[in-house]
């Protein structure tokens, strides 16, 4: 399979929605054959391809084309046809346009200001137009008379109409056989060493032969392909490389997207199988003798979402299968309560439950809330942190070790530092959005016990992204807030209004509330003209709020200092906290009612949402003020954020606006996923099918040993060999 880095996919004309249904191949291939994938023509090194001499081997390798198969997977990054290409006669000043035509003359023109401009006159069937590249005289060596150019850029008036290409490619060079078919023009990822027209030539010279071998890789049987409306591999590649219409490319893309999603889900399914299925977990015994009294003691009803998620958790815990579940819920959706009920399921059957928070201060916060609810029921809640006195800590550890501590709250050190739990039945991990598969696997074993695992995340992400990143986990969504919450009021202000913003902060502080002021950077940066936390801390303390208590919190402080500042803010010893995004992780300060975010355009929407969630945790009406001086594009984004209170919706907007590459980038595990063809916004349905089929297959045949599944196993190994070793599967 291709070892090409993730690349974005783009079709320049609207997708053809019905395209996926039109499988014209109708062949009777039997995919689940009885033979393993043998060495195929597609495994031959690229140097045996027609038109690839020894000199091209390394440059092609750098593009990811090492074998013949890689050439098939080296699909166009762009498609143009009559709907995107304009006849030059119809160009108009002002807009953007894409044109295609042959270079009739060219040259470098100096201007009076010393700028040198490369110009080429390009002709299509409708006429001629001047293309101009100011400041790029070297293009004179790259572009030749007779070349066929495809170029996109703004159209200006400069001694006549002129198109200034932002992007261009030499589609064809005179003397080479062109790769144009029908009326769709494809543009491949290319490089300095392997220009566009060379790639096109190599594809054209080899495609027919390679397509004949493409179905050798086929692993889907006709029935499955039919059900999903997917073409054969050969058909997919044909449509991608030689589309007859732009909709063709989408049909091909969908097929490769399914493959990508299916094999990734297969890898996840195997990890999941090893985590929860292979050795049985604890079959918890639920008696309701603690759960019922807790229900009765609560002054409110559970939300429907809480009740549903609790059923999912309880089902996992009371089955012999081990639980490995992720609960996602917005700030305030009531995750702590869900965790608490889960812990009671463990305690009722005689087990211990541990809850781990990312920081000591959060552990203390949880301990306080949980103890208030459980101690009246006679369930002891034990806190273990590094700040406790030696004697208190010793006593706590003894209670854990002799089993009398039933619910234990601490940081991740709880497990890592070898605290001895004789009967550990459940581990709850809080706020661990950034937990990778390997870290989760480290939790998996505690002295030969296999506790159930529940992970709570306050960072909602779209379901398709969650399934891709955490496909080895089962997902529960707390997608409903308890009734009666006053939503945080979000407003947008320009830097000119900063004085008014501070006056508002002053007013709120005067009423006994507290405020956060967040900056994107710790220190001033020479490159970026941004206000930074340290500088503004000095200024705000001295000039703006001289009679208020102002604190500073950022990631470069030593951790005990961070802890000290956070505590004094929580305890009301500070009025204003100047900070960077380190405050993102779930601290609960009910008196904080204002969140001011400077340079708001620098933050992702999900990050803004996290920050906004730090206020509105008490009774007072709360405010989030975004200060931003920006162009229309980010203003749009921020306005959308202002109107959206639901974290899942914010996350979907983030995915739409920033693209999946960006979101993957922030997550090491996701980066490995490197989806090239699948689009998490449009392919959710395919993804759900891919996960369902992958999980089913692994349940039937965990190691993919049946002869009929060998081909699938070979594919999986080709794609994910490294990761399979790392995760100990396969
Ligand atoms: P999260 O951990 O998801 O941010 P919490 O569990 O801290 O949310 O809950 C936030 C607040 O809402 C707490 O004060 C909690 O007591 C309250 N709460 C939880 N569930 C409900 C409910 N079903 N109805 C009303 N209030 C609730
Ligand atoms: Mg279980």
């Amino acid at each position: 399979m291709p070892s090409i880095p993730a690349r974005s996919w783009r079709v320049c004309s609207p997708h053809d929605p019905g395209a996926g249904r039109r499988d014209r191949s109708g062949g009777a291939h039997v995919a689940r054959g009885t033979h393993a994938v043998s060495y195929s023509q597609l495994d031959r090194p690229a140097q045996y391809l027609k038109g690839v001499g020894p000199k091209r081997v390394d440059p092609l390798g750098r593009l990811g084309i090492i074998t013949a198969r890689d050439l098939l997977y080296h699909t166009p990054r762009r498609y143009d046809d009559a709907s995107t290409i304009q006849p030059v006669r119809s160009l108009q000043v002002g807009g953007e346009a894409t044109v295609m035509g042959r270079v009739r003359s060219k040259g470098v023109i100096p201007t009076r200001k010393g700028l040198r401009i490369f110009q080429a006159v390009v002709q299509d069937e409708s006429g001629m137009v001047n293309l101009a590249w100011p400041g790029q005289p070297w293009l004179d060596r790259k572009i030749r008379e007779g070349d066929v150019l495809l170029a996109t850029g703004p159209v200006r008036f400069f001694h006549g109409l002129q198109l200034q290409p932002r992007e261009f490619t030499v589609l064809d060079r005179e003397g080479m056989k062109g790769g144009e078919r029908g009326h769709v023009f494809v543009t491949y990822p290319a490089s300095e060493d392997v220009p566009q027209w060379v790639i096109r030539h190599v594809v054209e010279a080899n495609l027919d032969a390679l397509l004949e071998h493409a179905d050798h890789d086929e692993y889907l049987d006709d029935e499955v392909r039919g059900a999903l409306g997917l073409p054969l591999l050969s058909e997919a590649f044909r449509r991608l490389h030689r589309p007859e219409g732009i909709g063709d490319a989408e049909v091909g893309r969908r097929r490769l997207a399914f493959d990508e999603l299916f094999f990734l889900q297969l890898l996840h399914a195997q990890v999941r199988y090893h985590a929860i299925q292979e050795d049985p977990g604890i079959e918890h015994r639920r008696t309701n003798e603690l759960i019922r009294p807790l229900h009765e003691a609560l002054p409110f009803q559970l939300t429907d979402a809480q009740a549903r998620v609790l059923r999912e958790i309880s089902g996992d815990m009371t089955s012999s299968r081990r639980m490995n579940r992720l609960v996602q819920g917005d700030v305030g959706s009531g995750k702590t309560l869900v965790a608490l009920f889960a812990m009671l399921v463990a305690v009722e059957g005689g087990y211990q439950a541990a809850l781990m928070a990312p920081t000591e201060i959060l552990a203390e916060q949880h301990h306080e809330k949980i103890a208030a609810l459980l101690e009246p029921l006679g369930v002891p809640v034990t806190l273990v942190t590094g700040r406790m006195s030696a004697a208190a800590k010793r006593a706590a550890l003894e209670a854990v070790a002799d089993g009398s501590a039933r619910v234990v709250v601490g940081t991740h050190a709880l497990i890592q530092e070898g605290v001895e739990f004789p009967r550990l039945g459940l581990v709850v991990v809080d706020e661990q959005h950034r937990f990778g598969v390997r870290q989760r696997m480290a939790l998996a074993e505690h002295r030969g016990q296999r506790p159930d695992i529940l992970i709570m995340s306050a960072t909602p992400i779209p379901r398709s992204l969650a399934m891709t990143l955490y496909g080895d986990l089962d997902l529960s969504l707390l997608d409903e807030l308890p009734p009666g919450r006053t939503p945080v009021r979000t407003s947008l202000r320009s830097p000119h209004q900063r004085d008014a913003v501070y006056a508002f902060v002053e007013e709120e502080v005067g009423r006994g509330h507290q405020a956060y002021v967040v900056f994107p950077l710790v220190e001033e940066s020479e490159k970026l003209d941004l206000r930074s936390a340290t500088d503004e801390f000095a200024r705000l303390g001295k000039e703006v709020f001289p009679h208020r208590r102002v604190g500073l919190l950022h990631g470069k402080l030593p951790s005990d200092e961070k802890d000290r500042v956070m505590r004094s803010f929580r305890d009301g010893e500070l009025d204003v906290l100047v900070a960077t995004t380190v405050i993102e992780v779930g601290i609960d300060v009910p008196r904080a009612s204002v969140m001011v975010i400077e340079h708001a355009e620098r933050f992702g929407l999900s990050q803004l949402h996290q920050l906004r969630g730090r206020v509105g945790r008490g009774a007072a009406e709360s405010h989030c003020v975004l200060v931003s001086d920006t162009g229309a594009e980010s203003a749009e984004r921020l306005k959308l954020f202002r109107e959206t209170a639901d974290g899942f919706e914010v996350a979907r907007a983030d995915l739409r606006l920033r693209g999946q590459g960006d979101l993957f980038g922030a997550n090491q595990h996701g980066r490995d996923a490197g989806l090239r063809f699948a689009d998490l916004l449009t392919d959710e349905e395919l993804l759900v099918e891919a996960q369902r089929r992958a999980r089913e297959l692994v349940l039937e045949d965990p190691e993919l040993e049946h002869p009929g599944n060998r081909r699938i196993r070979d594919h999986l190994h080709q794609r994910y060999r490294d990761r399979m070793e790392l995760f100990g599967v396969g």
Side-chain angles (χ1 to χ4, degrees):
M1 245 8 74
S3 44
I4 314 174
R7 208 178 283 124
S8 66
W9 168 270
R10 193 159 59 135
V11 173
C12 293
S13 100
H15 288 182
D16 172 357
R21 309 269 120 61
R22 279 191 333 232
D23 175 12
R24 287 189 237 129
S25 63
H29 289 251
V30 178
R32 283 195 180 185
T34 48
H35 59 287
V37 174
S38 54
Y39 181 83
S40 114
Q41 291 295 316
L42 299 183
D43 293 308
R44 287 165 68 94
Q47 74 201 69
Y48 296 110
L49 292 168
K50 279 189 218 156
V52 177
K55 268 200 318 207
R56 294 268 188 229
V57 171
D58 287 344
L60 279 172
R62 284 193 288 279
L63 274 178
I65 304 170
I66 292 158
T67 66
R69 181 182 288 103
D70 294 334
L71 186 67
L72 277 179
Y73 278 91
H74 193 77
T75 55
R77 64 177 171 81
R78 179 178 165 142
Y79 296 84
D80 287 285
D81 73 353
S83 67
T84 57
I85 297 176
Q86 267 180 267
V88 300
R89 177 61 60 76
S90 71
L91 294 186
Q92 279 178 352
V93 175
E96 278 243 340
T98 297
V99 298
M100 197 200 67
R102 209 173 273 282
V103 177
R104 289 305 174 201
S105 63
K106 58 157 198 164
V108 174
I109 304 168
T111 62
R112 247 176 282 154
K113 288 184 194 144
L115 182 70
R116 305 209 305 150
I117 300 178
F118 174 68
Q119 289 199 340
V121 175
V122 161
Q123 182 178 35
D124 70 5
E125 282 167 5
S126 73
M128 305 228 230
V129 70
N130 209 354
L131 306 193
W133 287 263
Q136 300 181 54
W138 62 85
L139 286 177
D140 199 27
R141 290 192 303 275
K142 302 252 155 191
I143 293 175
R144 299 189 195 164
E145 273 174 35
D147 283 356
V148 176
L149 292 189
L150 181 71
T152 301
V155 181
R156 309 232 151 97
F157 193 86
F158 230 58
H159 313 292
L161 272 191
Q162 190 175 79
L163 187 139
Q164 294 189 357
R166 228 182 339 91
E167 192 187 354
F168 80 95
T169 179
V170 178
L171 281 186
D172 203 4
R173 177 143 286 175
E174 218 155 41
M176 310 289 314
K177 195 166 140 260
E180 292 137 39
R181 296 264 161 173
H183 294 284
V184 181
F185 300 93
V186 297
T187 307
Y188 287 95
S191 66
E192 191 76 357
D193 305 332
V194 193
Q196 188 62 220
W197 58 271
V198 170
I199 294 260
R200 289 165 59 93
H201 172 67
V202 172
V203 170
E204 195 45 44
N206 294 281
L207 190 60
D208 288 323
L210 296 183
L211 288 179
E212 281 183 31
H213 297 288
D215 289 328
H216 202 75
D217 279 358
E218 189 58 75
Y219 70 96
L220 284 176
D221 54 40
D222 287 350
E223 197 192 308
V224 176
R225 283 192 304 102
L228 297 170
L230 298 172
L232 278 170
L233 274 171
S234 55
E235 182 65 12
F237 287 122
R238 192 189 64 68
R239 292 185 187 219
L240 280 160
H241 289 285
R242 274 183 197 154
E244 281 165 20
I246 279 184
D248 268 358
E250 169 59 11
V251 176
R253 180 201 73 83
R254 229 174 134 262
R255 167 65 213 253
L256 300 191
F258 178 81
D259 292 354
E260 221 167 49
L261 295 169
F262 176 74
F263 286 106
L264 183 61
Q265 291 303 326
L266 201 51
L267 177 69
H268 282 319
Q270 288 196 329
V271 173
R272 175 175 182 268
Y273 180 83
H274 285 269
I276 73 177
Q277 206 85 33
E278 197 181 42
D279 312 312
I282 299 164
E283 207 171 312
H284 287 279
R285 204 161 33 81
R286 176 175 170 178
T287 63
N288 285 336
E289 70 201 30
L290 296 168
I291 289 174
R292 190 168 311 115
L294 178 62
H295 262 299
E296 282 159 9
L298 288 177
F300 47 72
Q301 295 269 305
L302 294 184
T303 63
D304 290 346
Q306 281 172 317
R308 186 188 67 235
V309 170
L310 277 174
R311 278 196 301 277
E312 290 165 354
I313 291 171
S314 178
D316 283 354
M317 290 183 71
T318 54
S319 87
S320 60
R321 221 165 29 85
R322 189 180 195 199
M323 175 164 73
N324 205 10
R325 186 171 283 281
L326 173 67
V327 176
Q328 283 193 55
D330 225 330
V331 167
S333 58
K335 289 182 294 298
T336 314
L337 202 61
V338 166
L340 206 155
F341 275 106
M343 293 196 283
L344 288 186
V345 174
V347 172
E348 283 182 345
Y351 284 91
Q352 295 169 296
L355 186 151
M356 306 196 298
T359 64
E360 300 216 321
I361 194 167
L362 287 169
E364 290 164 22
Q365 185 180 294
H366 276 305
H367 174 256
E368 208 172 299
K369 283 196 210 167
I370 292 173
L373 289 164
L374 292 193
E375 291 193 333
L377 307 180
V379 179
V381 182
T382 307
L383 177 69
V384 182
T385 74
R387 284 171 47 89
M388 295 163 66
S389 72
K393 189 164 179 184
R394 200 173 328 111
L397 291 180
E398 267 165 28
V400 174
D402 70 20
S404 60
R406 310 302 294 281
V407 172
V408 182
V409 180
T411 63
H412 299 150
L414 261 189
I415 293 281
Q416 283 143 16
E417 283 172 13
V419 178
E420 228 20 274
F421 287 85
R423 277 179 77 70
L424 186 57
L426 172 69
V427 173
V428 181
V429 184
D430 183 40
E431 301 277 358
Q432 275 306 324
H433 180 57
R434 292 172 189 87
F435 236 47
V437 174
R438 262 163 293 165
Q439 286 148 300
R440 291 203 295 274
M441 286 168 52
L443 289 179
E445 291 278 336
H446 180 75
R447 316 214 179 267
Q449 305 172 86
R450 292 170 53 79
D452 281 343
I453 297 187
L454 185 63
I455 298 169
M456 318 286 276
S457 169
T459 313
I461 55 176
R463 184 165 87 125
S464 56
L465 187 61
M467 285 174 70
T468 303
L469 296 179
Y470 308 110
D472 59 316
L473 301 175
D474 292 306
L475 283 184
S476 286
L477 298 187
L478 270 181
D479 46 6
E480 184 186 349
L481 291 184
R485 290 277 162 77
T486 325
V488 176
R489 288 177 85 112
T490 305
S491 49
L492 249 160
R493 296 287 178 265
S494 78
H496 312 293
Q497 296 167 297
R498 196 174 271 121
D499 287 347
V501 172
Y502 290 148
F504 176 68
V505 169
E506 173 60 37
E507 217 174 280
E508 287 285 303
V509 171
R511 286 199 212 122
H513 298 166
Q514 291 165 287
Y516 297 95
V517 185
V518 172
F519 293 87
L521 297 179
V522 178
E523 280 155 34
E524 190 127 28
S525 147
E526 297 199 348
K527 279 200 219 102
L528 304 163
D529 183 22
L530 297 175
R531 289 168 182 251
S532 69
T534 35
D535 293 329
E536 287 299 296
F537 167 64
R539 199 178 70 84
L540 290 175
K542 267 193 232 117
E543 296 169 21
V544 184
F545 304 111
H547 48 292
R548 299 294 181 193
R549 298 160 303 174
V550 180
L552 174 66
L553 182 70
H554 60 72
K556 289 191 182 163
L557 293 175
S559 59
D560 51 343
E561 173 71 3
K562 267 190 272 190
D563 191 73
R564 197 187 57 72
V565 175
M566 207 56 240
R567 275 171 206 285
S568 26
F569 189 67
R570 180 198 62 188
D571 296 340
E573 292 156 13
L574 293 172
D575 303 306
V576 177
L577 186 61
V578 175
T580 57
T581 53
V582 287
I583 52 157
E584 248 186 277
V585 259
I587 188 73
D588 209 346
V589 182
R591 283 212 299 138
S593 68
V594 192
M595 166 66 65
V596 178
I597 304 172
E598 292 273 359
H599 299 291
E601 76 283 355
R602 309 275 307 177
F603 297 89
L605 295 187
S606 295
Q607 207 174 14
L608 290 176
H609 185 70
Q610 282 292 304
L611 290 169
R612 179 165 62 183
R614 296 303 115 224
V615 295
R617 305 184 67 92
E621 169 161 70
S622 295
H623 304 267
C624 175
V625 186
L626 309 176
V627 182
S628 174
D629 176 16
T630 51
E633 194 192 329
S634 49
E636 264 328 289
R637 231 163 50 88
L638 297 180
K639 271 183 200 147
L640 188 144
F641 176 73
R642 183 181 59 190
E643 311 309 329
T644 315
D646 175 352
F648 287 99
E649 224 176 287
V650 169
R652 269 191 298 275
D654 224 9
L655 179 59
R656 188 157 39 76
L657 295 168
R658 285 203 295 165
Q660 61 197 35
D662 239 39
L663 295 175
F664 277 144
N667 180 304
Q668 190 201 342
H669 179 44
R671 197 159 49 219
D672 303 344
L675 297 176
R676 272 182 68 205
F677 296 101
D679 177 335
L680 295 179
L681 282 168
T682 57
D683 295 335
E684 182 163 327
E685 216 182 308
L686 272 188
L687 174 55
V688 169
E689 271 304 303
Q691 184 177 79
R692 191 176 66 77
R693 286 171 191 273
R695 286 184 171 184
E696 250 172 46
L697 181 61
V698 168
L699 277 185
E700 274 168 28
D701 183 11
E703 306 298 338
L704 305 173
E705 284 162 339
H706 296 327
N709 293 331
R710 291 242 184 90
R711 200 175 278 209
I712 293 183
R713 193 184 62 188
D714 287 352
H715 272 297
L716 184 66
H717 279 256
Q718 278 179 3
R719 283 188 193 240
Y720 291 122
R721 191 173 294 116
D722 304 352
R723 284 215 275 167
M724 294 175 74
E725 279 166 19
L726 196 62
F727 300 156
V729 298

